Amino acid sequence: YIYVLNMAEIRLEVASENAILEIQYDGHEIRQPPLSMSEQLSQHARKIDFGAAENGGSDELSGPAAAAADETEEQEEDEEEEKPCQQPHWPLESVRNKIRNAHTEVCVLHDLLQMVREKRYLVLDHVQGQQHQPKLYIQFLSLKKSLNNAASILTSGAERIRSSQSSVAKPASDFHLDLLRLRQHWRLKRVATNIVGDLSYTNTGSKFRHSGYFEVSKADDDSVATPLSSLPGSATSSASSAAAVGVSRSSLRVTIPPELDGSAYIFVCIRKDEEDLCSTQLNMIGGLNNVSSNASCGGSGEHHWQQKLECAQNVLFCKELFSQLAREAVALKMDIPPLVVANQITATIFPGIHLLIALCHSHPDSSRNRSSLTGPNGFLTSGAGNSSGSSSVTGSGSGQDHHHQQRSSGGTGGSVSKSIHDGVLEHSLHQLMHDYLHRTTPVPHPVYAPLHAHPTRRIAGPHGLDRQQLMQTVTNETLLEQIIKEAQHNFLRLRTMFVIDQLAIELRDPLIISHWNLFNSPTQSCVRINIVTQSYDSVIRTTLVVHVYERSLRCVCRDGRVMTMSFEPQELRNLLLCQVAQHQMAAVQSLSKLMGWTVGCSEPCLGVGAAEPLGSAAAVVLTAPSGNKQIMVRSGPCTGVSVSVATAPRNDFYPSGVVNERRWDQLPGAWQEVRLASMEGRNFLNKIELLMAALTAQN
């Protein structure tokens, strides 16, 4: 094979580089163009010696001529040896010789392989040496060692299966397994020989002074038993094993700082004078509504580490949140600055209406179980063991609470006899808390990325921002300002509900129907008010939309007018009374068209008669189809509706040169007021309809 591979390295082509004819001054080379096929054939043909081929083909020379020829050949060979660089007569002669030698070697190799394979030409016999007698003892030892290895593998596998079955059958109380579960939920690190955990929010950008560290150690054998279902991450055992074991003992002892022990929450209340209008509480544990109960976060005995750490982190969060609110309250600039006393923040949202934000913390130790704070006027918000503190949170967050509050409040925005839990306010505060945590969480910034200004501040040219827009990009509302705005909106919304419902109770005709949209924004809500008459809702319907903001109301009427009102409830009440009066006038005109009566005149702002204390009265005059009877309807926001009837002096008509039309002869006489209270009919429009029918039938 080596010879064949060496012989395969045959070069059949010459270099394709052409000779250089000229090199110009700029370094450009002009090469000789390659020869064509005909030119190459002519060049090779000139190298062939056809005379030598003819002499080689003639008859052999005899005698002295042959000897002379041999001497000549010897001289030529000597000359060829002296001139090794001289080319042969035939250019492809060396190629032919190499191919011939390679063919010869391949044939030899083929014959050799055939001899070895077919065994006909050559036979190779193995020479057997002296055979030694095998030792049975060594074979026995090797077999014994193999069996021992197999037995050890089977034994270790059985031990693993037995240990796994035993761990499933009984609750896991191993220290390392519990430590693994604890590490899956909380941040842990090793400090010297102790294991320390972290409850704080430092990784989210918190700057609270408390470290929030807790220590983890191995519990003693007499640790308090906890239910198996309370172990997070543990597998659920079968019914038989659960009945046999019942409880499991945790092998961990978690030690938290004493200032984080117990339960805590942020209490938010809106007060008017001495009455609580609505209240809610804010914490990180959603199910911790009854603050007087310490069954889940404190009290007697030890509890599972998961519940204990969750309660401690909730206390830390409440303290950090209240600390942030207290700092903002001190720096906040308002007409009436907020007051921070102990664990209570008092802010004035409306004249006579106060917002109270309190931190309530109850300790499981009975010696420390006292009221966490006592506000002005005896306002007490306490933790465990205080009846007044626990009774301040009642009810649930639903629409029925608002309905009950509207019925129990006074006419100026109202006050209730006891504190009512407001679910809408709680939902808004939770949303605000989540947004605050999201904003304060630092965004990861690569160390190699450049520090530059915000894109909105970097834009120039036609899209440049003015000073006010630039200030808005860098100025954000504080957390306390947002809470005050939400409290203002919540109180104004409750007051608007009360005004609408109170007016709907007072005015039975027409009906006032309201549809609220409360969850579109924490500081904006709207109500659609429909004013209809019973059984005549298809005739006329007056619709208006009231938008409730933090300190103002915006009303969009049916005719497109937009009116902005303050937070005073009397303004909304006056507007609704005017809309009711306009609805009565529009309903009478629409009904007259259906009855065939003609609208003689209509005046929305009547300038005669008694002046209205609020707004102006409206009047409309209706004429019967015969023209001899008329009805005048007058409606005012405060005086109500009055109806008068006038009849022509006579029914016959005789045209003359002076009076040539019937309408000029049948002018009405004196107006007579109709006593609507004595008439039959369910409502005002029904009575007007019966009156029109009776007057039409008298013709």
Side-chain angles (χ1 to χ4, degrees):
Y1 292 100
I2 297 176
Y3 290 113
V4 174
L5 292 176
N6 292 336
M7 293 303 297
E9 297 178 358
I10 301 172
R11 183 176 298 174
L12 300 179
E13 297 181 359
V14 298
S16 61
E17 186 177 2
N18 299 322
I20 299 175
L21 297 180
E22 183 182 358
I23 299 178
Q24 298 181 357
Y25 293 105
D26 56 355
H28 182 69
E29 298 178 355
I30 300 177
R31 296 181 178 272
Q32 182 180 1
L35 300 177
S36 61
M37 297 297 294
S38 59
E39 293 176 351
Q40 291 181 4
L41 180 61
S42 302
Q43 184 180 5
H44 290 305
R46 285 196 297 270
K47 296 180 181 180
I48 300 175
D49 188 5
F50 295 99
E54 292 178 357
N55 294 333
S58 60
D59 298 336
E60 296 182 358
L61 299 178
S62 58
D70 295 337
E71 293 178 359
T72 306
E73 292 178 358
E74 292 177 359
Q75 293 178 0
E76 291 178 356
E77 291 177 0
D78 295 338
E79 292 177 357
E80 290 178 359
E81 293 177 357
E82 294 176 359
K83 301 178 180 180
C85 296
Q86 185 177 358
Q87 295 182 357
H89 296 286
W90 188 32
L92 302 178
E93 184 176 1
S94 61
V95 176
R96 182 193 63 184
N97 295 336
K98 291 181 180 180
I99 293 176
R100 181 184 299 171
N101 296 336
H103 179 264
T104 303
E105 293 180 3
V106 169
C107 292
V108 173
L109 180 61
H110 177 267
D111 295 341
L112 180 60
L113 294 176
Q114 190 173 8
M115 290 170 59
V116 174
R117 180 181 179 185
E118 294 185 0
K119 304 295 184 181
R120 292 188 303 174
Y121 308 101
L122 183 64
V123 178
L124 300 176
D125 293 334
H126 178 69
V127 178
Q128 297 181 357
Q130 185 178 1
Q131 296 182 357
H132 299 280
Q133 186 176 2
K135 297 181 180 181
L136 300 179
Y137 180 72
I138 298 177
Q139 294 181 359
F140 177 75
L141 290 178
S142 62
L143 180 60
K144 182 180 179 181
K145 186 177 181 180
S146 301
L147 292 177
N148 288 335
N149 294 335
S152 63
I153 293 174
L154 294 177
T155 304
S156 62
E159 290 294 335
R160 292 180 181 179
I161 295 175
R162 190 180 298 108
S163 62
S164 63
Q165 291 179 354
S166 62
S167 62
V168 173
K170 63 181 180 179
S173 60
D174 184 54
F175 172 74
H176 298 285
L177 291 179
D178 290 344
L179 188 62
L180 178 61
R181 296 191 186 99
L182 180 63
R183 188 177 181 182
Q184 292 176 355
H185 295 82
W186 306 93
R187 297 191 302 273
L188 300 177
K189 64 180 178 179
R190 188 179 182 89
V191 178
T193 58
N194 300 327
I195 301 176
V196 180
D198 189 8
L199 293 172
S200 63
Y201 297 91
T202 54
N203 59 341
T204 60
S206 174
K207 298 180 181 179
F208 194 53
R209 293 176 298 175
H210 199 284
S211 60
Y213 289 156
F214 64 93
E215 185 177 355
V216 181
S217 59
K218 189 174 182 179
D220 300 334
D221 296 335
D222 55 349
S223 61
V224 180
T226 56
L228 181 63
S229 59
S230 63
L231 293 176
S234 60
T236 304
S237 60
S238 60
S240 59
S241 61
V245 179
V247 294
S248 65
R249 300 178 182 273
S250 177
S251 59
L252 295 180
R253 178 186 288 111
V254 177
T255 305
I256 60 176
E259 59 270 14
L260 298 183
D261 198 6
S263 61
Y265 66 96
I266 300 295
F267 183 76
V268 182
C269 177
I270 299 177
R271 300 184 62 199
K272 179 182 179 181
D273 297 334
E274 300 297 333
E275 301 293 339
D276 297 343
L277 302 182
C278 64
S279 64
T280 185
Q281 57 181 345
L282 183 66
N283 53 19
M284 291 296 293
I285 304 177
L288 193 62
N289 290 329
N290 189 4
V291 298
S292 63
S293 176
N294 291 329
S296 60
C297 293
S300 61
E302 296 287 338
H303 294 276
H304 192 258
W305 48 263
Q306 181 68 18
Q307 300 175 358
K308 195 173 183 180
L309 292 178
E310 286 180 357
C311 293
Q313 191 178 43
N314 175 64
V315 173
L316 181 63
F317 169 77
C318 292
K319 288 188 174 182
E320 180 180 357
L321 182 59
F322 186 82
S323 175
Q324 176 69 19
L325 294 177
R327 289 195 302 267
E328 294 176 356
V330 173
L332 187 61
K333 296 180 181 179
M334 296 178 60
D335 297 337
I336 302 178
L339 181 63
V340 181
V341 178
N343 291 346
Q344 179 175 332
I345 302 174
T346 305
T348 302
I349 56 177
F350 290 111
I353 308 298
H354 303 283
L355 171 67
L356 287 89
I357 304 175
L359 172 62
C360 302
H361 184 197
S362 63
H363 301 276
D365 189 4
S366 59
S367 62
R368 303 178 61 185
N369 188 12
R370 61 184 183 274
S371 62
S372 298
L373 61 96
T374 303
N377 300 327
F379 173 72
L380 181 64
T381 56
S382 174
N386 196 320
S387 59
S388 62
S390 60
S391 63
S392 62
V393 181
T394 58
S396 60
S398 61
Q400 297 178 359
D401 298 336
H402 303 297
H403 185 73
H404 174 72
Q405 183 175 359
Q406 294 162 17
R407 297 295 181 262
S408 304
S409 302
T412 60
S415 61
V416 293
S417 58
K418 63 179 180 179
S419 177
I420 296 179
H421 181 75
D422 193 345
V424 179
L425 180 59
E426 180 183 2
H427 176 74
S428 301
L429 291 178
H430 274 282
Q431 280 187 338
L432 184 61
M433 178 188 65
H434 294 160
D435 293 341
Y436 171 73
L437 293 177
H438 178 71
R439 291 196 314 269
T440 55
T441 302
V443 180
H445 187 80
V447 295
Y448 54 83
L451 297 175
H452 50 74
H454 195 271
T456 56
R457 302 185 64 183
R458 195 172 61 249
I459 298 177
H463 301 287
L465 304 179
D466 54 7
R467 183 179 181 277
Q468 182 179 2
Q469 294 175 345
L470 288 176
M471 291 298 295
Q472 291 177 357
T473 58
V474 297
T475 303
N476 296 323
E477 292 182 346
T478 61
L479 185 61
L480 182 60
E481 290 178 348
Q482 298 180 24
I483 293 179
I484 291 176
K485 285 186 177 181
E486 291 189 7
Q488 289 176 344
H489 169 74
N490 186 77
F491 174 76
L492 189 58
R493 174 173 49 82
L494 295 179
R495 176 179 283 180
T496 304
M497 285 182 179
F498 168 76
V499 171
I500 295 175
D501 290 358
Q502 194 71 17
L503 191 60
I505 294 174
E506 295 176 2
L507 300 178
R508 299 300 180 90
D509 181 27
L511 301 178
I512 300 178
I513 305 172
S514 60
H515 301 274
W516 280 91
N517 184 9
L518 303 179
F519 297 100
N520 53 353
S521 173
T523 57
Q524 179 181 355
S525 59
C526 63
V527 54
R528 186 182 65 183
I529 302 175
N530 294 326
I531 303 175
V532 297
T533 303
Q534 185 180 5
S535 302
Y536 293 90
D537 51 350
S538 60
V539 177
I540 186 64
R541 178 189 295 265
T542 302
T543 304
L544 63 153
V545 179
V546 179
H547 295 271
V548 183
Y549 300 99
E550 295 90 352
R551 299 182 62 88
S552 62
L553 300 175
R554 182 171 175 267
C555 179
V556 181
C557 300
R558 179 185 180 185
D559 52 359
R561 292 179 300 169
V562 179
M563 289 172 285
T564 303
M565 298 167 286
S566 65
F567 55 85
E568 294 295 336
Q570 190 63 34
E571 296 184 11
L572 178 62
R573 181 181 178 87
N574 296 341
L575 174 64
L576 294 179
L577 290 176
C578 294
Q579 292 294 321
V580 169
Q582 294 178 8
H583 169 78
Q584 298 286 34
M585 290 293 96
V588 169
Q589 296 181 24
S590 300
L591 182 62
S592 63
K593 296 179 182 179
L594 298 178
M595 299 295 295
W597 285 58
T598 305
V599 178
C601 65
S602 176
E603 182 60 39
C605 298
L606 191 62
V608 296
E612 289 285 335
L614 171 66
S616 58
V620 60
V621 178
L622 307 176
T623 305
S626 59
N628 58 349
K629 294 180 177 61
Q630 291 183 347
I631 298 176
M632 182 184 66
V633 181
R634 186 181 186 275
S635 177
C638 297
T639 58
V641 182
S642 60
V643 180
S644 301
V645 178
T647 306
R650 55 183 183 180
N651 296 330
D652 53 352
F653 171 68
Y654 299 100
S656 62
V658 179
V659 181
N660 55 3
E661 292 184 9
R662 187 184 184 93
R663 60 177 179 171
W664 300 114
D665 184 66
Q666 296 180 351
L667 295 177
W671 293 95
Q672 299 178 359
E673 186 176 357
V674 180
R675 290 178 293 179
L676 294 177
S678 302
M679 290 184 60
E680 296 181 357
R682 289 178 295 181
N683 46 48
F684 169 70
L685 282 185
N686 192 6
K687 295 178 181 181
I688 291 295
E689 182 181 3
L690 295 177
L691 180 60
M692 289 181 181
L695 294 178
T696 305
Q698 290 179 6
N699 295 334

